[in-house]
Each structure stands twice: as C-alpha cells, then as structure tokens.
Amino acid sequence: MNRLWVRIALSFTATIILLIALVAVWSAHSTNTAFRGYLARSMAEERPALARTLAEYYQEHGSWDGVAAVLPNTVGRHGGRGHPPRVILADAEGQVVVGSADVPSGTRIDARTLREAVPIQVDGQVVGYLIFIPPGMQDNRLPEHARAFLTNVQRTLLFTGILAVLVGTVVAIVISRTATAPLQRLVAAARAIGHGDFDRRVPEEGPEEIAEVARAFNEMARRLKQAEETERQMLADIAHELRTPLSVLQANLRAMLDGVYPLSQEEVAALYDETRLLSRLVEDLRDLALVDMGRLPLRREPVDLSALLRNTASVFESLAAAEGVTLAQDVDPDLPPVVGDPDRLAQVLRNLLSNALRHTPQGGRITLRAYVPQDQPRVVRVEVSDTGEGIPPEALPHVFDRFWRADRSRARTTGGSGLGLAIARALVEAHGGRMGVESQVGQGTTFWFTLPQLSKETV
C-alpha cells in the first residue's frame, strides 16, 4: 500500500467506480422515467382524439365539472383492442378530477407523474393533464412486461459497469506502473550512487517533469563524481605535501639523535623552516575549507584600492630589486572605492606578486595595473603581468587547481604549496569578483581579477 503506483492505481479505480456508480444511478432513474413517458405517449398516440375532446369540453364549460360522465364514454369509444388502459384526469395544478379506485379524486399528482402525462391545452395554456395507467399496473408499479424490460436494461448497465471497472483497473495499473517506472529507476540509481557507483545515470525520457528530474539527477551524479575525484586527489596531494616536510624533520632529528648531524643552530634553523612550511600549508588548507563551507570571515568595508595596491607593492619593491627585477606600477589614482576585506584583498595581491617574482628572471619586469574597463564601467580590474617563461596552453586551465604546479620539479620553497592561486581566486569570488589568467610561452603571464565598485546598495 505504500507503493506510489499502487496508490495511483487505487485512486484511479476508486474514481472509476464512483463515476460508474453515479452514471448507473442516473441512467436507471432516467431510463425508468423515459420508459414511463414512452408508455404514456404510446397510449396517447392510440387515442389521438381523447385529449382534443377533453380540451373542447373544458373550452365549452370553462371547468372540469361534470367531465366524469363524459370520460368513460370517451374511453370506451377509443379503448382499442384488449383491456384498455385506465385514464386519470387532473387539473392544471395536478389535482385529480376523475380518478380510479387506487387514485381517487382530490389526490395530488407528483411532479414526476405529471412530466409523463399528456397536457391538455386551451388557447395555448395547460388546463389539465391526461394520465394513462397501463393494464396490470397497480400502486404506481409498472406491469410485468415493462418491469422485465427495465430489469434487462439495468442488468446490461450493471454488466457494462463491471466490465468498465475491470478495464479501467487494468489501464490504471498500466498507467501508474509506467508513470512511476522512471522514479524506480531514480531510486535504483540513487542507491547505486550511495554505494559509491558514481558512474550510474538514468535515461532522460518520459514526460517533461520526469525528464527534468532525470537531468537534474544526472547533473548531481556528475558533480558528485567530480567532487569525489577532487577529494580523492586532494587527500592524496595533502598526504604527499605533508609527508615531505615531515620526512625531512624526522630524518634530521634521527640524524641528530644518532650523532650524524651536530646539534647546531644552523640545523635547528633548517628544521624550523620546515615547521613553518607545515604551518603555512595547514593554514592554507584551513582557508580553503572555510571557503568551501562558505564560512570564511570577511570584514567588509569601503576600501581605497589605489592606496592598498601602492602599499602592498611597496613591500615587494626591495625584494624585486634584490632579484634584479623591475616592479612598475600603473595604478589609476582616481580608482573608485570597492567594498571588501582589506587584509584578504592584500593577501590576494601578495600572492600574485610573489608568484610573478618567482617566475620572472633577472632583468625582467613586473607591472601592476589597476583601472576601470570601458566595457565594464561598474568594476575595477587589477592586473599583475610578468615577463617570465609563460604558461603552456595545455596548462592554463589548471593553474587555479589545488596542489597544481606548472613545473612539477619545483620544490615547495620555490614553487609554493600549490594552494596560493586557488585561495586567491576563492577570495576574489567571495568578494563578488572574478579571476583569470592570460599567458604566452616565452613572453610572460598576466593574472587579473575584478572587483565590483562600491555602490549605494552595498554601503
């Protein structure tokens, strides 16, 4: 009973039974009324002059007084073969004027019987009703042959109704099973995905609503598979990234304990550097986890982006000079303010500048630009360009992937943890902006991001 198709089939069947029962009751009543009317009309057609004779009587006398003496003669004269039907005359209000033993004078005729009667009209107005009672009919019951006819009709209606219920039930079961089959496939696919089969898909067919659910399910399954693969790769990368500094720490400490390395300040400083790498990696992973959960705290406030860019770039000027690299600035002094967390925005810029500094050779140039694009007047665009080796086209789609490095041979000390660009893009998107990269091998790379300008709605 808890199956959807069973409930749908039972609902269809119950509806069919109710409709057929209503039709059967209405048909039985209508058939009985129509048949009585037919009998009355057929008997009236056998005596076409009777109603006309009574109408002439009423027109001549102005009432039905004394009509009882006329009516039997009329019946005898037009009675036909065999036993003639009994005739009852009622006035315009339905009160019997000339009755019979079982319908005496003064009796009020019910509305159904009046509808079966033959009206008597004088000058277009009904002045009475002529009611024919077939031979053998007593107490308003039809004669035996008429009841047999109606019984056959009702029995036919009953058999037809039962057949309709059976056919309707079968059709309801077929329709309900067909309608719920896609849902059953969805259930089976969901259970398969729950057991780790992320390749399971369902056919996108059937009614538009079912097909739309199937498309949404397949899209969900695709994203779950992608997320599962990303998570698996991320866990493997995290294990790999943590293993190396831990191995270095463990090996050096073991060497010190065994007396291979002296317990000197230089050795302790090297081990300290490894712990800093571990701390930075853990902090980056924490930031990414907070971004993924949408819980990264942002202190939103109006930010003078021009001042922030100049202050951050000034920190890298001495570092760039030490590497023999020129750091140039092309920042519009009239940049409109943006809304955001100044510390997080400075973190994004520091990441891009440090990444550019790592990949720019001696004698190269790094340019920091900030301006309002003509085709996007409501945003501020920031660009960090270098004249380094560039990024191969096949690698461009992966530069923002976690733990990805263009040169796998680089160490963490020179190539970073592989999380900086992923964190930078996540921070920009958390501010409602976008980040991208453009590069040509041998000519350099440009990382850019946009931020929405401060507006009345964001104040």
Side-chain angles (χ1 to χ4, degrees):
M1 290 295 295
N2 288 330
R3 292 283 186 178
L4 179 60
W5 73 268
V6 175
R7 294 190 176 187
I8 294 176
L10 290 178
S11 299
F12 272 114
T13 302
T15 303
I16 292 171
I17 292 176
L18 178 61
L19 291 177
I20 290 178
L22 292 176
V23 171
V25 172
W26 178 80
S27 298
H29 174 74
S30 300
T31 302
N32 184 54
T33 302
F35 187 69
R36 287 174 177 270
Y38 165 76
L39 290 178
R41 286 191 298 272
S42 63
M43 288 182 290
E45 290 176 355
E46 295 177 358
R47 300 158 181 82
L50 181 56
R52 187 171 58 253
T53 299
L54 291 174
E56 293 173 354
Y57 180 89
Y58 187 90
Q59 188 175 17
E60 180 180 351
H61 295 81
S63 68
W64 294 115
D65 295 338
V67 73
V70 177
L71 193 57
N73 295 332
T74 305
V75 172
R77 196 164 45 249
H78 301 283
R81 295 176 298 175
H83 300 284
R86 290 175 296 161
V87 179
I88 294 176
L89 178 63
D91 60 16
E93 285 73 29
Q95 187 172 356
V96 175
V97 176
V98 178
S100 61
D102 52 344
V103 185
S105 300
T107 303
R108 179 71 64 176
I109 302 298
D110 58 89
R112 188 191 69 175
T113 304
L114 288 180
R115 286 195 297 270
E116 300 169 357
V118 177
I120 301 174
Q121 296 181 349
V122 174
D123 296 331
Q125 294 185 350
V126 177
V127 297
Y129 294 94
L130 192 58
I131 304 170
F132 293 90
I133 302 178
M137 182 175 177
Q138 298 178 357
D139 300 329
N140 204 30
R141 291 183 300 172
L142 293 174
E144 185 65 28
H145 68 280
R147 291 200 301 271
F149 173 78
L150 288 179
T151 300
N152 289 332
V153 172
Q154 293 169 355
R155 186 181 295 115
T156 302
L157 291 176
L158 177 63
F159 289 156
T160 303
I162 293 175
L163 180 61
V165 169
L166 294 177
V167 173
T169 301
V170 173
V171 173
I173 292 175
V174 172
I175 292 176
S176 61
R177 291 300 297 268
T178 303
T180 57
L183 298 179
Q184 293 175 350
R185 289 195 292 268
L186 282 173
V187 171
R191 288 175 177 170
I193 290 178
H195 288 87
D197 183 9
F198 294 100
D199 292 323
R200 180 66 68 90
R201 300 292 185 270
V202 294
E204 299 177 4
E205 57 188 18
E208 181 59 29
E209 293 81 0
I210 299 297
E212 186 174 354
V213 172
R215 286 192 292 270
F217 180 88
N218 289 337
E219 177 64 17
M220 178 198 69
R222 184 189 66 79
R223 294 189 177 184
L224 284 175
K225 181 180 179 180
Q226 184 179 7
E228 192 269 342
E229 292 176 350
T230 302
E231 181 181 3
R232 186 189 301 117
Q233 183 62 41
M234 183 176 177
L235 290 175
D237 291 337
I238 291 174
H240 174 75
E241 296 294 331
L242 292 175
R243 186 185 300 115
T244 302
L246 287 174
S247 298
V248 172
L249 285 171
Q250 185 178 16
N252 282 273
L253 289 172
R254 182 75 264 176
M256 290 179 183
L257 290 175
D258 293 342
V260 177
Y261 292 159
L263 187 58
S264 62
Q265 187 174 1
E266 291 77 9
E267 292 296 333
V268 173
L271 296 180
Y272 176 71
D273 289 338
E274 293 296 329
T275 62
R276 290 181 60 191
L277 289 175
L278 282 174
S279 297
R280 188 178 68 182
L281 179 60
V282 171
E283 188 65 24
D284 288 346
L285 290 172
R286 174 182 173 275
D287 287 344
L288 279 177
L290 291 175
V291 170
D292 289 341
M293 293 185 296
R295 297 180 181 177
L296 182 67
L298 293 177
R299 182 169 51 89
R300 297 181 182 274
E301 60 184 48
V303 177
D304 184 353
L305 193 59
S306 298
L308 185 144
L309 294 177
R310 288 194 299 269
N311 293 336
T312 306
S314 63
V315 177
F316 282 84
E317 287 180 347
S318 58
L319 297 176
E323 297 289 337
V325 176
T326 301
L327 177 56
Q329 298 185 43
D330 182 13
V331 178
D332 186 350
D334 297 325
L335 281 180
V338 298
V339 61
D341 188 327
D343 294 334
R344 292 297 185 179
L345 294 178
Q347 178 183 351
V348 172
L349 188 59
R350 286 196 300 269
N351 182 279
L352 296 182
L353 288 173
S354 62
N355 186 68
L357 189 57
R358 279 197 304 269
H359 292 277
T360 303
Q362 187 176 8
R365 182 185 181 89
I366 298 175
T367 303
L368 173 62
R369 296 184 63 210
Y371 60 97
V372 176
Q374 293 183 354
D375 57 341
Q376 294 179 294
R378 295 186 179 181
V379 303
V380 177
R381 182 181 174 102
V382 179
E383 297 177 354
V384 177
S385 304
D386 62 60
T387 57
E389 69 275 12
I391 302 174
E394 65 274 9
L396 279 177
H398 304 287
V399 294
F400 295 106
D401 293 348
R402 301 172 184 184
F403 297 107
W404 184 89
R405 297 189 189 92
D407 186 354
R408 290 291 179 176
S409 64
R410 287 181 178 268
R412 278 166 300 280
T413 55
T414 59
S417 66
L419 294 175
L421 289 176
I423 294 175
R425 184 174 66 171
L427 290 174
V428 169
E429 291 177 350
H431 284 79
R434 296 173 57 242
M435 175 174 279
V437 59
E438 300 168 0
S439 182
Q440 291 185 358
V441 177
Q443 297 185 20
T445 303
T446 297
F447 281 92
W448 58 267
F449 64 90
T450 60
L451 294 171
Q453 299 177 17
L454 179 65
S455 61
K456 294 181 179 180
E457 291 76 10
T458 57
V459 174

